[in-house]
């Protein structure tokens, strides 16, 4: 697990749509922290800090540290509401995490050796990504920053399934816990139109 991102937040008492609009005009983002044995807490966060955090892949999948009135809280981002047209954050939901309690969250996939992939380099295919993240369950201390998918040996027509992924110790895929019929595609190497045309031409010559 990578070092936790640290963000500051201030507790707030004024809630509602009107209050939220006033906060956004002041470049503040309303948020809520919930979960654990504590009551939910309404907070505000600086818009500039949130915009910067949104550019980081880890903000969406890693353990975050929120500093609220001088106290650190370990959380993960559970939901983000964006403006439908401008895409900026309008509201954030954070869930508290405890070191001894397993969490369920999404982790990004990093695809390796795509240009060197056998099905692409030697057989003229193209890689199709069926998903770019997976849902995992693990203790907070075992949460990986990402999961690698090595495409080097995948041939034309080949597939990478969830069961093919190499997971860190203590991490399980939620889908696989539901049964073999949930062993979904992660990526595949498919023939391109040019490849099909070449094959058709070769067949005609024969």
């Amino acid at each position: 697990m990578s070092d936790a991102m640290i963000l500051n937040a201030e507790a707030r008492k004024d809630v509602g749509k009107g209050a939220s609009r006033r906060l956004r005009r002041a470049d503040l983002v309303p948020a809520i922290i919930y979960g654990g044995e504590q009551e939910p807490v309404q907070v505000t966060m600086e818009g500039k800090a949130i915009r910067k955090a949104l550019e980081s892949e880890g903000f969406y999948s890693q353990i975050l540290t929120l500093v609220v009135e001088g106290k650190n809280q370990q959380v993960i981002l559970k939901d983000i509401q964006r403006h439908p047209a401008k895409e900026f954050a309008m509201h954030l939901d954070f869930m508290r995490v405890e070191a001894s309690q397993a969490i369920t969250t999404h982790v990004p996939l990093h695809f390796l050796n795509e240009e060197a992939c056998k099905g692409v380099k030697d057989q003229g295919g193209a890689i199709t990504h069926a998903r770019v993240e997976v849902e995992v369950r693990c203790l907070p201390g075992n949460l990986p920053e990402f999961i690698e998918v090595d495409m080097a040996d995948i041939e034309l027509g080949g597939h990478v399934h969830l069961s093919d992924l190499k997971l860190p110790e203590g991490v399980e895929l939620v889908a696989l816990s539901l049964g073999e019929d949930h062993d979904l595609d992660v990526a595949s190497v498919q023939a391109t139109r040019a490849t099909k045309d070449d094959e058709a031409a070769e067949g005609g010559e024969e």
Side-chain angles (χ1 to χ4, degrees):
M1 184 180 69
S2 61
D3 294 335
M5 184 183 297
I6 301 175
L7 296 166
N8 293 312
E10 294 187 6
R12 67 185 179 104
K13 295 181 180 179
D14 54 334
V15 296
K17 292 184 177 179
S20 295
R21 283 195 293 267
R22 288 193 295 272
L23 291 171
R24 296 186 191 106
R25 284 197 292 268
D27 198 24
L28 296 172
V29 180
I32 186 171
I33 306 171
Y34 66 90
E37 298 179 355
Q38 303 176 50
E39 292 295 320
V41 176
Q42 302 281 349
V43 299
T44 58
M45 308 178 72
E46 291 185 359
K48 181 180 179 180
I50 294 302
R51 287 190 293 274
K52 183 178 180 180
L54 291 173
E55 297 175 355
S56 172
E57 182 181 64
F59 181 66
Y60 302 89
S61 61
Q62 291 300 289
I63 305 297
L64 311 171
T65 298
L66 294 190
V67 183
V68 184
E69 298 182 351
K71 295 182 179 180
N72 291 359
Q73 298 193 41
Q74 304 297 304
V75 302
I76 57 174
L77 178 68
K78 291 300 290 184
D79 190 37
I80 176 170
Q81 298 174 27
R82 296 179 184 268
H83 189 281
K86 301 179 181 179
E87 285 295 302
F88 62 79
M90 298 181 64
H91 191 277
L92 302 170
D93 290 9
F94 297 100
M95 186 180 76
R96 299 184 185 95
V97 299
E98 300 290 341
S100 60
Q101 296 180 2
I103 58 173
T104 299
T105 189
H106 288 84
V107 171
L109 297 173
H110 283 192
F111 294 87
L112 308 179
N113 300 315
E114 291 191 307
E115 292 183 0
C117 173
K118 288 182 179 179
V120 174
K121 185 177 180 181
D122 301 332
Q123 300 168 320
I127 294 174
T128 299
H129 298 151
R131 50 195 29 83
V132 295
E133 64 179 16
V134 289
E135 189 175 25
V136 303
R137 182 173 176 80
C138 62
L139 292 174
N142 293 333
L143 182 63
E145 188 173 354
F146 53 83
I147 293 174
E148 295 181 344
V149 185
D150 191 348
M151 300 297 297
D153 296 327
I154 308 303
E155 298 187 354
L156 187 66
H159 295 255
V160 178
H161 296 92
L162 291 176
S163 59
D164 297 319
L165 300 180
K166 295 181 179 179
L167 303 176
E169 185 176 355
V171 178
E172 67 173 357
L173 295 175
V174 174
L176 292 184
S177 68
L178 301 176
E180 294 183 1
D181 54 338
H182 291 270
D183 189 10
L184 305 174
D185 259 9
V186 172
S188 60
V189 181
Q190 304 293 336
T192 63
R193 181 172 180 176
T195 305
K196 293 177 180 177
D197 289 344
D198 289 344
E199 291 176 350
E202 291 176 1
E205 291 175 1
E206 292 176 359

